[in-house]
Amino acid sequence: MLQTPSGGARSGTAATDSGLMSIGTVLNALRDEFPEVTISKIRFLESEGLVEPRRTPSGYRKFSARDVERLGHVLRMQRDHYLPLKVIREHLDAMERGEAVPLPVVGRQRTGDDTPEPPERPTAARVGRAELLAAAGIGEDDLVEWQSYGLIAPLEDGAYDAEAVTVASLVAELGRFGIEPRHLRVMKAAADREAGLVDQVVAPLKRHRNPQTRAHAEARTKELAALTVRLHAALVQTALGVRLP
């Protein structure tokens, strides 16, 4: 749970004795857990309906402790679960109505190892361009560049597979270490070759006349995908001489 400021003396940017806070104070409250958050990000989340701060007569935003807590939930679900903002908003609104709702699953979940967490609930299979940008915390120029290198590709109707949120978030994280998108083309090429190998194995099952056999092909594909991901991670760790927790 996000710890919000309480008690003690607040800075001059705090709102008033009512306990409301300015956007600058909110930024400072969030940065301990979310160092990448910016005022622009908070404003964007407001424009998307994730938080509704009060306004002074002169138009300044004033946030309550509940607003800060809600922002923490939003940022945490983006960071840990790569959920689109629309899904997050619907989930939080349902919780505030007192409904017992499970956390939705979109794409890869952040776990303690390199094995993708199998979804146990229905997934949101597609996201729009704006949702992808917001969920990954990237700009339009970033997405255009990454698409030029084949790291992310839109579907025929312009939407994106939910896994694109995972890819974009990881590319952004690697970028903070100085690894540029052009450096990742070799990883994309390796992934394509691994996917091709899996396709060769399951192709006979996919072509089978029996519907049950074709359905089995999907389960076999997921199983092989998980194994190839684990093998790839193990090989990289071995090559680097490190062991991840």
Side-chain angles (χ1 to χ4, degrees):
M1 181 70 68
L2 179 68
Q3 298 298 314
T4 57
S6 61
R10 284 200 175 103
S11 68
T13 56
T16 62
D17 292 339
S18 65
L20 298 181
M21 292 168 274
S22 70
I23 195 169
T25 301
V26 172
L27 181 67
N28 290 333
L30 293 170
R31 271 187 167 166
D32 284 345
E33 183 176 355
F34 310 100
E36 303 300 322
V37 71
T38 63
I39 286 179
S40 296
K41 174 76 169 183
I42 296 174
R43 288 172 177 164
F44 175 76
L45 293 176
E46 178 191 356
S47 71
E48 292 295 309
L50 273 301
V51 66
E52 298 180 359
R54 302 179 192 179
R55 293 278 186 161
T56 66
S58 56
Y60 290 103
R61 297 171 176 83
K62 295 299 179 182
F63 297 80
S64 66
R66 174 186 169 280
D67 292 328
V68 179
E69 183 176 5
R70 185 176 170 97
L71 283 169
H73 281 308
V74 172
L75 294 170
R76 200 171 295 111
M77 284 193 279
Q78 279 192 302
R79 180 195 65 194
D80 298 343
H81 302 283
Y82 305 107
L83 293 173
L85 291 180
K86 180 180 178 182
V87 176
I88 294 175
R89 184 174 62 248
E90 292 173 350
H91 179 73
L92 292 179
D93 289 346
M95 288 181 61
E96 291 185 353
R97 291 193 299 268
E99 300 175 11
V101 289
L103 183 67
V105 177
V106 177
R108 174 185 180 273
Q109 304 295 292
R110 189 185 293 267
T111 61
D113 55 29
D114 295 286
T115 304
E117 181 180 279
E120 298 178 353
R121 299 179 291 272
T123 62
R126 299 155 69 86
V127 295
R129 192 179 187 89
E131 290 177 318
L132 172 59
L133 295 175
I138 62 174
E140 181 73 30
D141 291 343
D142 294 319
L143 181 57
V144 171
E145 179 186 12
W146 300 353
Q147 288 184 170
S148 72
Y149 289 118
L151 299 173
I152 297 175
L155 303 173
E156 292 183 359
D157 60 358
Y160 294 83
D161 184 276
E163 197 67 22
V165 177
T166 300
V167 174
S169 298
L170 293 176
V171 172
E173 287 186 29
L174 288 169
R176 290 198 285 272
F177 291 90
I179 300 178
E180 299 179 12
R182 59 189 176 88
H183 299 145
L184 302 177
R185 287 181 294 184
V186 62
M187 298 180 69
K188 177 63 168 62
D192 288 342
R193 288 195 295 271
E194 292 167 8
L197 178 60
V198 172
D199 279 338
Q200 288 181 19
V201 175
V202 300
L205 298 177
K206 290 181 177 180
R207 294 194 298 264
H208 204 280
R209 294 182 179 181
N210 189 323
Q212 291 183 340
T213 302
R214 292 199 300 270
H216 180 63
E218 182 178 358
R220 180 60 57 84
T221 300
K222 293 179 179 179
E223 181 181 3
L224 288 172
L227 289 172
T228 55
V229 168
R230 290 174 60 188
L231 174 60
H232 183 90
L235 290 173
V236 171
Q237 291 180 63
T238 299
L240 294 174
V242 299
R243 184 174 182 83
L244 299 181

